[in-house]
Amino acid sequence: MLFWVLLLIYQAACRVELFVSKSVRLFEQSVEETLTIRGKNLNASPLKRLRFTVDADVFETLKIVRMQEGGVWKTLSDFEGPSFWLTFASPKAEEASFAAEVRLIFRGRLEFVPHKIRFDEDQVVSFEDRALGVRFEDEAEVKNLSINYFWPARNTLNEDNGLIERQVNRDGVEYSAEGIASPFDSVYRFRFQLNKPFDIFSKVERFVEVSLWGNILETNNLYLTNESAELDGEYSTIDFNPANFNTGKNALRWLQTRLDGAVHGLSIRDEVGNVTNPVAKRVGDQIDLILIPRFSLFGGWKSNFFIEFNQPSRPFLTRDSSASDLLRLEYSFGCPFENVMAKEYELNICLPQGSELVSSDLRYGFVANSTFFKPDFFENPGKHCHKFVFKNIIPSLFSEKINITFRVPSGATWGKLIYLIALLSAGTFGIILISKIDFSFEDKRKKHSPKPKGE
């Protein structure tokens, strides 16, 4: 018993020294907090991982956590509690130094002042931050903390005089401090104009339908919301014009992305029907797509879009060299709009008729998965789809490709060919049969007129 007590006392006395550099900036419509950590293990035993906890007052707005040590990133978007483990690629021996990086993506920490604005008013946001909102485990001690804030330059107001202001460029201002004595007690407040929409997808449904005939059909159902300051009052089309940026300063006028140049059969719709405003043009080996809503979205407004296209399966689908009936699909993970967050993201992988899912490596943790049957006229009777549900996905941060391995039964290709030939033959026979049927109501029987007199 005495041995264990001494061991606990020894472990409690052991320390890990940390030198932390913190930077805070805007990442599109989110706040990105980056902690660059340099540390030293003073323990007699190897250090395998480091634990940290995010303060409860900001944890509710935490959406994504990214960690890396040794050049390997780990990305999380679904977590139950505020505590996380930073695991090292290899254990750190006594007196060994290490370097790591933690990035925290918040959504909702910027507050609108006021929450409602008129269509011709500027959007003003406020931000409050503790010098260090992350607490490391008991045996780790922060020996030094430096901090930098990068905000837009327009009317930025630092409400705390403890920070040094440095002009970065005409678009941004940097505020910094070194050697903060009370990192958990020091609070900094800012207020500045941010005339931009806070676009977000409340839900994204992505369907990837794989065919054995050299094609992949992709459908993206996008449920878009502008979460910026809400519109107060009314306006007319005379007052607001999408081309005039002096009004509707936080309105969402368009979304822009790039598609692969091999895409064909591009279709864009909304809940009303075909969208007449989108612009798609080829730039090099890619396609620039500008999605323009029927009406600009003010704060709190919503609109739903449905984008569908085809592309060759050859770059994404390969056959296993050891087993001819095994196929591997390597495909991108997110949706086409790389920097827009999806609160709920559904990835549906629909495999060819009769295929069996062997394995799935989705790279990121999902919150639910299920299987459903999708009827298809050309895939009699249809195909099985595998649905995976994720939370808080920003495609540019979740860039690793997924890998799906499935088995195709022998003769499936020939079976489908025979089915299509039979379907085509039946259709041709039906057309010929219908063409022989007379649907007119005219009486075509010969009418015998009486012979003239004298004959």
Side-chain angles (χ1 to χ4, degrees):
M1 178 64 71
L2 180 61
F3 170 79
W4 292 109
V5 172
L6 293 175
L7 180 60
L8 288 174
I9 295 175
Y10 172 75
Q11 289 181 341
C14 294
R15 310 298 297 176
V16 176
E17 289 184 346
L18 299 178
F19 299 83
V20 181
S21 176
K22 171 183 170 179
S23 66
V24 180
R25 66 179 70 234
L26 290 178
F27 174 71
E28 294 298 327
Q29 295 80 5
S30 306
V31 174
E32 180 185 77
E33 179 178 316
T34 302
L35 302 176
T36 304
I37 303 169
R38 293 183 296 108
K40 188 175 183 179
N41 180 26
L42 302 181
N43 292 303
S45 57
L47 181 66
K48 297 181 179 180
R49 56 184 184 172
L50 190 64
R51 185 185 182 189
F52 63 92
T53 303
V54 179
D55 281 357
D57 55 348
V58 296
F59 174 69
E60 291 299 322
T61 61
L62 180 63
K63 303 304 179 184
I64 299 173
V65 177
R66 304 192 75 205
M67 301 173 283
Q68 74 90 11
E69 190 276 332
V72 178
W73 284 97
K74 180 181 180 182
T75 305
L76 305 173
S77 62
D78 177 45
F79 27 80
E80 297 179 356
S83 295
F84 303 89
W85 288 99
L86 174 61
T87 304
F88 300 121
S90 58
K92 308 304 175 184
E94 184 180 6
E95 297 296 324
S97 299
F98 59 88
E101 187 172 324
V102 175
R103 291 185 184 177
L104 309 174
I105 309 295
F106 298 92
R107 179 88 187 204
R109 289 189 64 184
L110 294 174
E111 296 186 3
F112 303 109
V113 186
H115 188 69
K116 289 187 176 183
I117 60 174
R118 295 185 58 81
F119 74 96
D120 56 349
E121 291 181 334
D122 290 306
Q123 179 173 260
V124 180
V125 298
S126 65
F127 178 76
E128 181 176 297
D129 186 46
R130 195 184 305 274
L132 190 59
V134 170
R135 299 177 186 267
F136 294 90
E137 60 186 356
D138 294 337
E139 69 171 20
E141 179 183 1
V142 179
K143 303 293 289 186
N144 185 70
L145 171 65
S146 63
I147 190 169
N148 295 81
Y149 294 95
F150 299 90
W151 299 127
R154 188 167 179 79
N155 295 337
T156 303
L157 174 64
N158 172 22
E159 299 182 1
D160 189 288
N161 295 322
L163 292 175
I164 301 173
E165 179 178 336
R166 296 186 177 91
Q167 184 77 27
V168 178
N169 52 46
R170 61 189 180 91
D171 297 321
V173 179
E174 175 187 1
Y175 298 89
S176 62
E178 287 279 350
I180 302 172
S182 304
F184 301 111
D185 299 326
S186 301
V187 178
Y188 304 105
R189 299 174 180 86
F190 301 88
R191 182 175 294 194
F192 50 90
Q193 287 183 17
L194 192 61
N195 288 327
K196 63 183 299 185
F198 279 56
D199 45 312
I200 192 170
F201 293 127
S202 59
K203 186 176 183 180
V204 171
E205 297 172 335
R206 188 187 191 202
F207 295 84
V208 179
E209 301 185 38
V210 184
S211 170
L212 294 179
W213 298 87
N215 185 72
I216 292 180
L217 173 63
E218 180 175 328
T219 304
N220 293 275
N221 301 334
L222 311 168
Y223 302 88
L224 180 65
T225 303
N226 184 3
E227 291 187 337
S228 58
E230 296 180 3
L231 177 66
D232 185 17
E234 301 175 350
Y235 75 95
S236 69
T237 54
I238 299 176
D239 300 323
F240 172 75
N241 188 316
N244 181 8
F245 291 88
N246 292 321
T247 58
K249 299 180 181 181
N250 68 346
L252 177 63
R253 291 167 165 83
W254 66 75
L255 287 174
Q256 187 168 2
T257 186
R258 281 196 169 185
L259 302 176
D260 189 271
V263 163
H264 61 93
L266 178 62
S267 170
I268 304 172
R269 299 177 292 108
D270 60 12
E271 289 182 319
V272 178
N274 291 333
V275 180
T276 56
N277 286 333
V279 177
K281 61 179 180 179
R282 189 173 297 278
V283 179
D285 58 351
Q286 292 184 313
I287 297 175
D288 266 2
L289 173 63
I290 302 177
L291 185 61
I292 305 175
R294 293 178 183 272
F295 50 87
S296 299
L297 304 182
F298 284 85
W301 292 18
K302 303 177 181 180
S303 187
N304 302 331
F305 298 92
F306 313 100
I307 301 177
E308 182 178 281
F309 53 83
N310 295 272
Q311 55 188 332
S313 61
R314 182 180 295 275
F316 313 104
L317 202 60
T318 57
R319 191 176 296 275
D320 194 305
S321 57
S322 60
S324 60
D325 61 342
L326 285 181
L327 294 175
R328 181 187 180 196
L329 174 69
E330 186 177 26
Y331 207 71
S332 61
F333 176 74
C335 69
F337 298 95
E338 294 189 342
N339 290 322
V340 183
M341 177 181 288
K343 288 184 178 180
E344 182 180 333
Y345 175 67
E346 290 186 5
L347 176 61
N348 301 274
I349 305 295
C350 299
L351 300 178
Q353 173 191 356
S355 299
E356 174 191 356
L357 179 65
V358 176
S359 64
S360 58
D361 184 3
L362 302 179
R363 306 294 184 180
Y364 308 104
F366 50 84
V367 298
N369 70 304
S370 59
T371 303
F372 63 94
F373 185 76
K374 185 176 185 297
D376 192 326
F377 182 74
F378 292 101
E379 296 265 5
N380 184 37
K383 56 179 68 174
H384 285 91
C385 301
H386 303 269
K387 180 170 74 174
F388 304 90
V389 182
F390 302 81
K391 290 175 58 178
N392 304 321
I393 299 299
I394 301 179
S396 62
L397 301 181
F398 293 74
S399 57
E400 292 193 55
K401 293 185 177 181
I402 62 173
N403 288 291
I404 304 293
T405 303
F406 59 95
R407 176 175 284 107
V408 180
S410 58
T413 305
W414 287 107
K416 183 175 179 180
L417 179 60
I418 293 172
Y419 167 73
L420 291 176
I421 292 175
L423 193 66
L424 183 61
S425 300
T428 304
F429 177 75
I431 293 173
I432 295 174
L433 183 64
I434 291 174
S435 65
K436 297 295 183 181
I437 300 176
D438 186 4
F439 292 97
S440 66
F441 295 95
E442 182 182 352
D443 188 1
K444 294 185 178 180
R445 289 176 301 176
K446 246 184 190 180
K447 296 181 180 179
H448 300 281
S449 55
K451 294 182 178 181
K453 291 182 180 181
E455 292 185 7

